[in-house]
């Protein structure tokens, strides 16, 4: 069973917004660790694209890596939450690794 978190939704939205090419965009979770595969390696893994029949036979590659931070606590009242920093996301402008990116932005092209 797949469970999506608010971070997953933010990561997916960020990846879609950062994409400049036609294709299917996926925000793929990544463990923030120096021993974890890079985003280039994760996105190129044939087992990853095999999870979706629509892209299983397509070329998939990384186009960005991001770090989505935890939720900032804001008031449930919109007016009380104005002029307050909300959620935070860092864009790396590469597909590397290390302890930094916790999501890879992968693109499967038609």
């Amino acid at each position: 069973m797949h469970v999506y978190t608010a971070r997953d939704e933010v990561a997916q939205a960020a990846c879609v917004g950062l994409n400049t090419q036609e294709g299917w965009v996926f925000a793929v979770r990544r463990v923030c660790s120096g021993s974890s595969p890079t985003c280039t390696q994760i996105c190129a893994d044939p087992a990853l694209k095999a999870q979706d029949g629509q892209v299983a036979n397509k070329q998939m590659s990384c186009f960005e890596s991001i770090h989505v931070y935890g939720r900032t606590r804001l008031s449930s009242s919109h007016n009380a939450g104005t002029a307050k920093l909300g959620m935070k996301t860092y864009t790396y402008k590469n597909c590397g690794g290390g302890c930094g990116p916790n999501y890879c932005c992968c693109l499967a092209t038609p």
Side-chain angles (χ1 to χ4, degrees):
M1 182 171 114
H2 297 286
V3 176
Y4 297 104
T5 67
R7 279 189 198 184
D8 295 327
E9 293 172 0
V10 169
Q12 179 66 20
C15 288
V16 168
L18 291 165
N19 179 47
T20 61
Q21 295 182 318
E22 176 185 6
W24 295 270
V25 175
F26 298 89
V28 179
R29 289 180 187 173
R30 179 183 178 276
V31 174
C32 182
S33 165
S35 61
S36 294
T38 66
C39 284
T40 298
Q41 293 167 324
I42 288 170
C43 292
D45 185 350
L48 181 67
K49 62 184 183 175
Q51 296 172 31
D52 184 321
Q54 195 170 17
V55 301
N57 295 319
K58 308 293 184 197
Q59 181 70 29
M60 186 179 286
S61 60
C62 175
F63 66 90
E64 179 63 275
S65 61
I66 61 176
H67 189 102
V68 178
Y69 292 84
R71 285 191 175 264
T72 302
R73 300 200 187 276
L74 295 175
S75 171
S76 60
S77 165
H78 178 76
N79 290 341
T82 58
K84 306 280 187 201
L85 290 176
M87 293 185 75
K88 177 171 65 174
T89 303
Y90 189 89
T91 58
Y92 288 88
K93 301 298 182 195
N94 66 52
C95 291
C99 187
N102 59 358
Y103 285 92
C104 303
C105 296
C106 304
L107 176 70
T109 51

